[in-house]
Amino acid sequence: MADELEQKALITIFGGTGDLANRKLYPSLYHLFTKGYLKDHFAVIGTARREWSNEFFREKVKESLQDIEGASEHAEEFASHFYYQSHDVMDQETYVSLKNLSDELDEKYQLDGNRLFYLAMAPNFFGTIARRIKSEGFTDTAGFHRLIIEKPFGHDLESAEELNNSLREAFREDEIYRIDHYLGKEMIQNISVIRFANSIIESLWNNRYIDNIQVTLSEVLGVEDRGRYYDESGALRDMVQNHILQIVSLLAMEPPIKLTTKEIRNEKVRALRALRVYEGKEVHQHFIRGQYGNGEVDGKELKSYREEENVDPNSNTETFVAAKLMIDNFRWAGVPFYIRTGKRLATKATQIAIHFKDVPMNLFGNQQSLGGNVLVIHIQPNEGITLHLNVKEPGQGMVTMPVNLDYVHSSQDRMNTPEAYEKLILDCLRGDATYFSHWDEVSLSWNFIDHIAAVWTTTKDHFPNYKPGSMGPKEADELVQKDGFAWFPVVDE
């Protein structure tokens, strides 16, 4: 069976000495190795500017596996498939030696010319590397050629188009895999199953039965050491443009004809096309931004965003966004999708709350308020589903009480769910692009975001406007309250 599972490929990681490679990519590849997806016929080339030997590189790879239980047993064999090539992405000569090494390893491990290029480095080099891969003949082999790139994919629609055009000079759209690790999370991929495998859910998944949908991505950490990048980006570009709009498109899309990459992408794109684009004053009515100030959490004094390293002391960059999104199509007309994301909030959690409409009439007396029916999809740190219902309280009389039906994913399976990167790298090796962003999705989401950013850059806000350890500025609560709703509590279990 393992031989049927096995994927053959040469994986070249540009930025092979970096943090992402060490924390995520090497452990993910190791898990694929122990599960038999990578076996005898694979090799990994790490490239970066540092002058490392193969032996030193392999030691670094083994070090990255230290936290994995039982890794010492297979680490040596796994690391023997790794090779290092010192490389300057701007220097044509180093591509020649990299190409020679690639050809040697292709032959040594019988890889059938299958090549996966992972750009784990600054986006300003993406176009140069892609063009060199093409011009130096890396893709002149019989097998597949696929390119994985990390976000940010541009800073706005114009820069994203420029970047995309430079990549398309060397790779076809179906060979470009824009990775969004949120799409590799177990419960994000579960959205489609919850919807399309349960008639009781899908029959209610529309504006006749749903009041509102809420998506929350909250973090307790501040910007840490990402101050320079974050001050240019902000929560709108860093979180809403990719993670949140991807989640919204999965929630809002129509059922695809079949569960293939092409059909799912088509429906996500149609959902994003129906997303109402706000202009001018509408932005202030539907979008709230915030920036954390200083304060004390658990007895620890925390700096304000403007005091963080590499951040402008007068920064107008938002560390929090809340918004009311509207999807103007037949299924969702009139249903608000509320989103919020931010740093230095009360708890770390990603959850989706689907609020169903109240019963037409409360038969249990005015003194009893019924709890609403809410389907909550917990994405992180705990994974699972909770359905909030009303039942009769034990004892005399017809007194109602709320109950929760819980499915806790990780404990049910008695194992941690696979790391998102592990799943997505395997999908790429198999040629399954379902949970990667298509260019049409990227361009539509940037178009939406650019309209918000254009208004925000021309107006100063009164920052800071929320304390660390809170759930953001009070205006975020008012945004949902004026429609008669409230944010669903975020539970960090």
Side-chain angles (χ1 to χ4, degrees), residues 87-97 132 135-136:
H87 183 75
D88 177 354
V89 297
M90 306 306 286
D91 178 15
Q92 191 248 346
E93 280 304 310
T94 58
Y95 286 93
V96 174
S97 47
R132 286 291 189 193
S135 66
E136 300 307 319

Side-chain angles (χ1 to χ4, degrees), residues 94-378:
T94 58
Y95 286 93
V96 174
S97 47
L98 186 61
K99 163 79 164 51
N100 292 337
L101 176 60
S102 301
D103 293 341
E104 281 171 33
L105 295 177
D106 203 320
E107 195 173 325
K108 179 177 178 178
Y109 291 97
Q110 299 167 343
L111 304 177
D112 299 343
N114 294 333
R115 295 190 173 175
L116 175 58
F117 306 94
Y118 200 124
L119 307 191
M121 57 194 309
N124 48 315
F125 295 119
F126 287 179
T128 304
I129 296 170
R131 283 192 293 269
R132 286 291 189 193
I133 286 171
K134 181 76 172 175
S135 66
E136 300 307 319
F138 285 82
T139 55
D140 297 342
T141 63
F144 66 69
H145 315 105
R146 295 175 189 144
L147 182 75
I148 298 185
I149 56 172
E150 285 280 336
K151 77 173 183 107
F153 196 78
H155 184 73
D156 51 22
L157 181 56
E158 187 184 354
S159 60
E161 282 177 336
E162 198 178 303
L163 174 54
N164 196 58
N165 290 340
S166 67
L167 296 180
R168 291 294 297 274
E169 288 176 30
F171 291 88
R172 302 190 309 266
E173 173 60 33
D174 64 353
E175 294 175 325
I176 300 170
Y177 287 69
R178 300 171 191 84
I179 200 164
D180 181 342
H181 67 276
Y182 264 75
L183 295 184
K185 292 184 183 296
E186 188 68 33
M187 294 311 299
I188 292 288
Q189 298 192 356
N190 234 318
I191 291 171
S192 299
V193 180
I194 293 165
R195 281 190 62 182
F196 304 132
N198 298 290
S199 62
I200 193 172
I201 299 290
E202 181 53 29
S203 59
L204 304 178
W205 205 264
N206 55 59
N207 54 10
R208 279 174 291 170
Y209 299 103
I210 291 177
D211 237 349
N212 69 90
I213 292 178
Q214 300 179 9
V215 179
T216 298
L217 279 71
S218 59
E219 298 177 79
V220 291
L221 294 176
V223 292
E224 309 307 299
D225 55 359
R226 295 173 72 221
R228 184 172 282 111
Y229 160 75
Y230 199 88
D231 211 35
E232 290 290 313
S233 161
L236 185 70
R237 292 182 173 94
D238 189 47
M239 298 296 282
V240 180
Q241 183 271 330
N242 40 69
H243 305 326
I244 288 184
L245 289 183
Q246 282 288 334
I247 292 171
V248 168
S249 67
L250 284 168
L251 292 166
M253 73 183 208
E254 292 297 315
I257 299 164
K258 47 184 184 258
L259 287 175
T260 61
T261 299
K262 185 181 177 185
E263 296 301 337
I264 290 172
R265 279 179 161 179
N266 285 347
E267 297 305 338
K268 285 170 70 185
V269 167
R270 284 178 65 200
L272 289 171
R273 282 201 185 112
L275 184 62
R276 189 183 300 173
V277 178
Y278 298 124
E279 309 275 358
K281 287 180 183 174
E282 292 178 322
V283 171
H284 298 302
Q285 292 162 7
H286 294 90
F287 267 76
I288 304 298
R289 56 178 167 165
Q291 188 188 90
Y292 63 82
N294 54 26
E296 189 180 296
V297 175
D298 296 333
K300 187 180 175 187
E301 276 296 326
L302 297 172
K303 291 189 288 193
S304 70
Y305 173 71
R306 292 177 175 184
E307 294 170 317
E308 300 277 18
E309 199 176 334
N310 296 321
V311 170
D312 180 352
N314 300 306
S315 176
N316 198 40
T317 300
E318 76 287 348
T319 61
F320 175 94
V321 175
K324 174 184 174 180
L325 310 183
M326 300 302 293
I327 296 183
D328 295 325
N329 62 17
F330 201 78
R331 182 183 288 261
W332 295 114
V335 178
F337 282 66
Y338 298 109
I339 62 164
R340 60 177 171 170
T341 182
K343 293 193 174 293
R344 284 268 184 258
L345 299 181
T347 185
K348 175 181 172 61
T350 302
Q351 76 173 27
I352 300 161
I354 296 101
H355 293 250
F356 293 93
K357 290 186 175 177
D358 292 338
V359 290
M361 178 180 171
N362 185 354
L363 299 173
F364 300 94
N366 293 333
Q367 75 281 5
Q368 290 186 58
S369 64
L370 295 175
N373 295 147
V374 186
L375 176 66
V376 183
I377 302 171
H378 307 278

